[in-house]
Short mmCIF file of all heavy atoms in Angstrom, two decimals:
data_model
loop_
_atom_site.label_atom_id
_atom_site.label_comp_id
_atom_site.label_asym_id
_atom_site.label_seq_id
_atom_site.Cartn_x
_atom_site.Cartn_y
_atom_site.Cartn_z
N ALA Q 85 -42.85 100.40 44.43
CA ALA Q 85 -43.15 99.08 45.01
C ALA Q 85 -44.32 98.49 44.23
O ALA Q 85 -45.12 99.23 43.64
CB ALA Q 85 -43.49 99.22 46.48
N SER Q 86 -44.44 97.16 44.25
CA SER Q 86 -45.47 96.52 43.44
C SER Q 86 -46.84 96.61 44.07
O SER Q 86 -47.85 96.64 43.37
CB SER Q 86 -45.12 95.06 43.20
OG SER Q 86 -43.83 94.97 42.67
N ALA Q 87 -46.90 96.63 45.38
CA ALA Q 87 -48.20 96.76 46.07
C ALA Q 87 -47.96 96.90 47.56
O ALA Q 87 -46.87 96.65 48.06
CB ALA Q 87 -49.07 95.54 45.81
N TYR Q 102 -44.72 95.23 49.30
CA TYR Q 102 -44.33 94.10 48.43
C TYR Q 102 -43.64 94.65 47.19
O TYR Q 102 -44.14 95.57 46.56
CB TYR Q 102 -45.57 93.32 47.97
CG TYR Q 102 -46.36 92.72 49.10
CD1 TYR Q 102 -47.22 93.51 49.87
CD2 TYR Q 102 -46.28 91.36 49.40
CE1 TYR Q 102 -47.96 92.96 50.91
CE2 TYR Q 102 -47.02 90.80 50.44
CZ TYR Q 102 -47.85 91.61 51.19
OH TYR Q 102 -48.57 91.08 52.23
N SER Q 103 -42.52 94.06 46.84
CA SER Q 103 -41.82 94.55 45.65
C SER Q 103 -41.08 93.43 44.93
O SER Q 103 -40.59 92.50 45.56
CB SER Q 103 -40.81 95.60 46.10
OG SER Q 103 -40.76 96.61 45.15
N ASP Q 104 -40.99 93.56 43.60
CA ASP Q 104 -40.14 92.64 42.84
C ASP Q 104 -38.70 92.92 43.21
O ASP Q 104 -38.39 94.00 43.76
CB ASP Q 104 -40.34 92.89 41.34
CG ASP Q 104 -41.70 92.39 40.89
OD1 ASP Q 104 -42.00 91.23 41.16
OD2 ASP Q 104 -42.47 93.17 40.29
N GLY Q 105 -37.75 92.06 42.86
CA GLY Q 105 -37.92 90.89 42.08
C GLY Q 105 -36.63 90.06 42.14
O GLY Q 105 -35.69 90.33 42.89
N PRO Q 106 -36.55 89.07 41.29
CA PRO Q 106 -35.55 88.00 41.39
C PRO Q 106 -34.07 88.40 41.25
O PRO Q 106 -33.22 87.79 41.88
CB PRO Q 106 -35.93 87.06 40.25
CG PRO Q 106 -37.27 87.47 39.80
CD PRO Q 106 -37.52 88.86 40.26
N ARG Q 110 -36.85 95.78 42.75
CA ARG Q 110 -37.31 96.68 41.68
C ARG Q 110 -38.20 97.76 42.29
O ARG Q 110 -39.38 97.52 42.57
CB ARG Q 110 -38.06 95.91 40.60
CG ARG Q 110 -38.42 96.78 39.39
CD ARG Q 110 -39.05 95.96 38.28
NE ARG Q 110 -40.34 95.43 38.65
CZ ARG Q 110 -41.49 96.07 38.53
NH1 ARG Q 110 -41.52 97.28 38.01
NH2 ARG Q 110 -42.63 95.50 38.89
N LEU Q 161 -40.32 90.34 49.19
CA LEU Q 161 -39.72 90.40 47.85
C LEU Q 161 -40.42 89.37 46.97
O LEU Q 161 -40.51 88.19 47.34
CB LEU Q 161 -38.23 90.06 47.95
CG LEU Q 161 -37.45 90.20 46.66
CD1 LEU Q 161 -37.01 91.65 46.47
CD2 LEU Q 161 -36.24 89.29 46.65
N LEU Q 162 -40.88 89.82 45.80
CA LEU Q 162 -41.65 88.92 44.92
C LEU Q 162 -40.68 88.08 44.09
O LEU Q 162 -40.46 88.32 42.91
CB LEU Q 162 -42.59 89.75 44.05
CG LEU Q 162 -43.50 90.67 44.88
CD1 LEU Q 162 -44.28 91.61 43.99
CD2 LEU Q 162 -44.44 89.85 45.76
N ALA Q 163 -40.10 87.11 44.70
CA ALA Q 163 -39.07 86.26 44.09
C ALA Q 163 -38.83 85.09 45.05
O ALA Q 163 -39.20 85.20 46.22
CB ALA Q 163 -37.79 87.06 43.91
N GLY Q 165 -38.46 83.16 41.08
CA GLY Q 165 -39.29 82.45 40.10
C GLY Q 165 -38.65 81.09 39.86
O GLY Q 165 -37.51 81.03 39.41
N ARG Q 176 -39.72 84.11 30.09
CA ARG Q 176 -39.20 84.35 31.44
C ARG Q 176 -38.17 83.30 31.87
O ARG Q 176 -37.81 83.26 33.05
CB ARG Q 176 -40.35 84.42 32.44
CG ARG Q 176 -41.24 85.61 32.19
CD ARG Q 176 -42.31 85.77 33.25
NE ARG Q 176 -41.81 86.49 34.41
CZ ARG Q 176 -42.60 86.96 35.38
NH1 ARG Q 176 -43.91 86.77 35.32
NH2 ARG Q 176 -42.09 87.60 36.41
N GLU Q 179 -35.48 84.37 34.14
CA GLU Q 179 -35.75 84.53 35.58
C GLU Q 179 -35.78 83.18 36.27
O GLU Q 179 -35.66 83.10 37.49
CB GLU Q 179 -37.13 85.15 35.79
CG GLU Q 179 -37.25 86.59 35.43
CD GLU Q 179 -38.65 87.11 35.74
OE1 GLU Q 179 -39.04 87.15 36.91
OE2 GLU Q 179 -39.38 87.44 34.78
N TYR Q 180 -36.06 82.13 35.50
CA TYR Q 180 -36.24 80.81 36.08
C TYR Q 180 -34.89 80.08 36.12
O TYR Q 180 -33.89 80.55 35.59
CB TYR Q 180 -37.27 80.01 35.28
CG TYR Q 180 -38.65 80.66 35.26
CD1 TYR Q 180 -39.54 80.42 34.21
CD2 TYR Q 180 -39.07 81.50 36.30
CE1 TYR Q 180 -40.81 81.01 34.20
CE2 TYR Q 180 -40.33 82.08 36.28
CZ TYR Q 180 -41.20 81.84 35.23
OH TYR Q 180 -42.44 82.41 35.22
N SER Q 207 -41.78 85.70 47.95
CA SER Q 207 -42.98 85.12 47.36
C SER Q 207 -42.50 84.21 46.23
O SER Q 207 -42.10 84.68 45.17
CB SER Q 207 -43.90 86.21 46.82
OG SER Q 207 -45.17 85.68 46.63
N LYS Q 209 -42.60 82.04 43.16
CA LYS Q 209 -43.59 82.15 42.11
C LYS Q 209 -43.19 81.31 40.91
O LYS Q 209 -42.04 80.92 40.81
CB LYS Q 209 -43.75 83.62 41.73
CG LYS Q 209 -42.47 84.31 41.19
CD LYS Q 209 -42.63 85.81 41.20
CE LYS Q 209 -41.49 86.48 40.46
NZ LYS Q 209 -41.58 87.94 40.48
N HIS Q 210 -44.07 80.99 40.01
CA HIS Q 210 -45.50 81.25 39.98
C HIS Q 210 -46.13 79.88 40.08
O HIS Q 210 -45.94 79.08 39.15
CB HIS Q 210 -45.91 81.93 38.68
CG HIS Q 210 -45.06 83.17 38.39
ND1 HIS Q 210 -43.87 83.14 37.71
CD2 HIS Q 210 -45.25 84.48 38.73
CE1 HIS Q 210 -43.37 84.36 37.61
NE2 HIS Q 210 -44.18 85.20 38.22
N ASN Q 214 -46.58 77.47 35.21
CA ASN Q 214 -46.56 78.70 34.42
C ASN Q 214 -45.26 78.68 33.61
O ASN Q 214 -44.26 79.25 34.01
CB ASN Q 214 -46.62 79.89 35.39
CG ASN Q 214 -46.66 81.25 34.71
OD1 ASN Q 214 -46.76 82.27 35.38
ND2 ASN Q 214 -46.58 81.30 33.40
N GLU Q 217 -45.31 82.45 28.42
CA GLU Q 217 -45.89 83.78 28.61
C GLU Q 217 -47.05 84.02 27.65
O GLU Q 217 -47.91 84.86 27.91
CB GLU Q 217 -44.82 84.84 28.41
CG GLU Q 217 -43.83 84.89 29.56
CD GLU Q 217 -44.51 85.23 30.88
OE1 GLU Q 217 -44.81 86.41 31.12
OE2 GLU Q 217 -44.75 84.29 31.68
N ARG Q 220 -50.72 84.26 28.89
CA ARG Q 220 -50.45 83.78 30.25
C ARG Q 220 -51.62 83.96 31.19
O ARG Q 220 -51.77 83.22 32.16
CB ARG Q 220 -49.21 84.45 30.82
CG ARG Q 220 -49.35 85.93 31.08
CD ARG Q 220 -48.09 86.46 31.75
NE ARG Q 220 -48.18 87.89 31.97
CZ ARG Q 220 -47.47 88.54 32.87
NH1 ARG Q 220 -46.63 87.89 33.63
NH2 ARG Q 220 -47.58 89.83 33.02
N ASN Q 221 -52.46 84.97 30.94
CA ASN Q 221 -53.61 85.17 31.83
C ASN Q 221 -54.72 84.21 31.47
O ASN Q 221 -55.65 84.55 30.77
CB ASN Q 221 -54.12 86.60 31.74
CG ASN Q 221 -53.11 87.56 32.28
OD1 ASN Q 221 -52.20 87.98 31.57
ND2 ASN Q 221 -53.22 87.87 33.55
N MET Q 253 -46.66 82.69 45.49
CA MET Q 253 -47.53 83.40 44.55
C MET Q 253 -48.18 82.42 43.59
O MET Q 253 -47.48 81.66 42.90
CB MET Q 253 -46.69 84.42 43.75
CG MET Q 253 -47.54 85.36 42.89
SD MET Q 253 -46.52 86.38 41.78
CE MET Q 253 -45.64 87.40 42.94
N SER Q 254 -49.51 82.44 43.56
CA SER Q 254 -50.19 81.56 42.60
C SER Q 254 -50.05 82.16 41.20
O SER Q 254 -49.85 83.36 41.05
CB SER Q 254 -51.66 81.37 42.98
OG SER Q 254 -52.30 82.63 43.05
N TYR Q 256 -51.03 82.75 36.94
CA TYR Q 256 -52.16 83.26 36.16
C TYR Q 256 -52.94 82.16 35.45
O TYR Q 256 -54.12 82.29 35.16
CB TYR Q 256 -51.66 84.19 35.06
CG TYR Q 256 -51.11 85.52 35.49
CD1 TYR Q 256 -49.84 85.93 35.10
CD2 TYR Q 256 -51.89 86.40 36.23
CE1 TYR Q 256 -49.34 87.17 35.44
CE2 TYR Q 256 -51.39 87.66 36.58
CZ TYR Q 256 -50.12 88.04 36.18
OH TYR Q 256 -49.63 89.27 36.51
N THR Q 287 -51.96 86.19 45.14
CA THR Q 287 -52.17 86.00 43.70
C THR Q 287 -51.05 86.69 42.94
O THR Q 287 -50.39 87.58 43.47
CB THR Q 287 -53.48 86.68 43.21
OG1 THR Q 287 -53.37 88.09 43.48
CG2 THR Q 287 -54.70 86.10 43.87
N ASP Q 288 -50.90 86.31 41.69
CA ASP Q 288 -50.06 87.12 40.81
C ASP Q 288 -50.86 88.39 40.52
O ASP Q 288 -52.09 88.45 40.69
CB ASP Q 288 -49.68 86.38 39.52
CG ASP Q 288 -48.47 87.03 38.84
OD1 ASP Q 288 -48.11 88.16 39.23
OD2 ASP Q 288 -47.89 86.42 37.92
N TRP Q 289 -50.16 89.41 40.04
CA TRP Q 289 -50.75 90.75 39.93
C TRP Q 289 -51.90 90.81 38.93
O TRP Q 289 -51.78 90.38 37.78
CB TRP Q 289 -49.65 91.74 39.57
CG TRP Q 289 -49.07 92.40 40.80
CD1 TRP Q 289 -48.88 93.74 40.98
CD2 TRP Q 289 -48.66 91.78 42.02
NE1 TRP Q 289 -48.39 93.97 42.25
CE2 TRP Q 289 -48.24 92.79 42.91
CE3 TRP Q 289 -48.63 90.46 42.48
CZ2 TRP Q 289 -47.80 92.54 44.20
CZ3 TRP Q 289 -48.18 90.20 43.76
CH2 TRP Q 289 -47.78 91.22 44.60
N TRP Q 290 -53.01 91.28 39.39
CA TRP Q 290 -54.22 91.44 38.58
C TRP Q 290 -54.77 90.12 38.10
O TRP Q 290 -55.46 90.07 37.09
CB TRP Q 290 -53.97 92.37 37.38
CG TRP Q 290 -53.29 93.65 37.73
CD1 TRP Q 290 -52.02 94.01 37.40
CD2 TRP Q 290 -53.83 94.74 38.49
NE1 TRP Q 290 -51.72 95.25 37.91
CE2 TRP Q 290 -52.82 95.73 38.58
CE3 TRP Q 290 -55.06 94.99 39.09
CZ2 TRP Q 290 -53.00 96.93 39.24
CZ3 TRP Q 290 -55.23 96.19 39.75
CH2 TRP Q 290 -54.21 97.14 39.82
N PRO Q 308 -52.71 93.28 43.02
CA PRO Q 308 -52.57 94.31 44.04
C PRO Q 308 -53.91 94.74 44.63
O PRO Q 308 -53.94 95.64 45.46
CB PRO Q 308 -51.91 95.46 43.28
CG PRO Q 308 -52.38 95.30 41.89
CD PRO Q 308 -52.55 93.83 41.65
N GLY Q 407 -39.44 93.34 32.13
CA GLY Q 407 -40.58 93.01 32.98
C GLY Q 407 -40.25 93.16 34.45
O GLY Q 407 -39.33 93.90 34.82
N SER Q 408 -40.95 92.41 35.27
CA SER Q 408 -40.80 92.59 36.71
C SER Q 408 -39.46 92.08 37.21
O SER Q 408 -39.09 92.32 38.36
CB SER Q 408 -41.94 91.91 37.45
OG SER Q 408 -42.03 90.56 37.08
N GLY Q 409 -38.70 91.39 36.35
CA GLY Q 409 -37.38 90.90 36.74
C GLY Q 409 -36.28 91.93 36.49
O GLY Q 409 -35.11 91.68 36.77
N PHE Q 454 -41.06 98.99 30.52
CA PHE Q 454 -41.21 97.80 31.37
C PHE Q 454 -41.16 96.50 30.56
O PHE Q 454 -40.56 95.52 30.96
CB PHE Q 454 -42.54 97.90 32.12
CG PHE Q 454 -42.85 96.72 33.00
CD1 PHE Q 454 -42.33 96.66 34.29
CD2 PHE Q 454 -43.63 95.67 32.55
CE1 PHE Q 454 -42.59 95.58 35.11
CE2 PHE Q 454 -43.91 94.58 33.37
CZ PHE Q 454 -43.39 94.54 34.65
N TRP Q 455 -41.82 96.52 29.40
CA TRP Q 455 -41.98 95.29 28.62
C TRP Q 455 -40.89 95.07 27.59
O TRP Q 455 -40.77 93.98 27.04
CB TRP Q 455 -43.32 95.30 27.86
CG TRP Q 455 -44.50 95.47 28.75
CD1 TRP Q 455 -45.26 96.59 28.91
CD2 TRP Q 455 -45.05 94.48 29.63
NE1 TRP Q 455 -46.25 96.36 29.84
CE2 TRP Q 455 -46.15 95.07 30.29
CE3 TRP Q 455 -44.73 93.15 29.93
CZ2 TRP Q 455 -46.93 94.38 31.22
CZ3 TRP Q 455 -45.51 92.47 30.85
CH2 TRP Q 455 -46.59 93.08 31.48
N GLU Q 490 -40.77 89.27 30.41
CA GLU Q 490 -42.14 88.98 30.82
C GLU Q 490 -43.16 89.43 29.78
O GLU Q 490 -42.95 90.42 29.09
CB GLU Q 490 -42.39 89.74 32.14
CG GLU Q 490 -43.75 89.49 32.72
CD GLU Q 490 -43.93 90.21 34.05
OE1 GLU Q 490 -42.92 90.55 34.69
OE2 GLU Q 490 -45.09 90.41 34.43
N GLY Q 491 -44.25 88.70 29.69
CA GLY Q 491 -45.37 89.13 28.88
C GLY Q 491 -45.36 88.60 27.46
O GLY Q 491 -46.36 88.72 26.75
C1 LIG C 801 -45.54 89.06 37.39
C2 LIG C 801 -44.97 88.71 38.75
C3 LIG C 801 -44.60 89.97 39.48
C4 LIG C 801 -45.83 90.86 39.59
C5 LIG C 801 -45.59 92.14 40.33
C6 LIG C 801 -46.65 90.09 37.48
O1 LIG C 801 -46.98 90.57 36.21
O2 LIG C 801 -46.01 87.90 36.75
O3 LIG C 801 -43.86 87.87 38.61
O4 LIG C 801 -44.07 89.68 40.73
O5 LIG C 801 -46.29 91.18 38.29
O6 LIG C 801 -44.81 93.01 39.60
#
Side-chain angles (χ1 to χ4, degrees):
S86 306
Y102 299 78
S103 217
D104 288 307
R110 187 174 66 86
L161 185 85
L162 305 172
R176 295 186 85 168
E179 289 182 65
Y180 299 154
S207 197
K209 61 195 190 182
H210 308 88
N214 182 177
E217 287 299 282
R220 67 175 178 158
N221 293 85
M253 188 189 294
S254 57
Y256 289 126
T287 61
D288 198 347
W289 266 229
W290 311 110
S408 55
F454 178 84
W455 303 106
E490 182 177 339

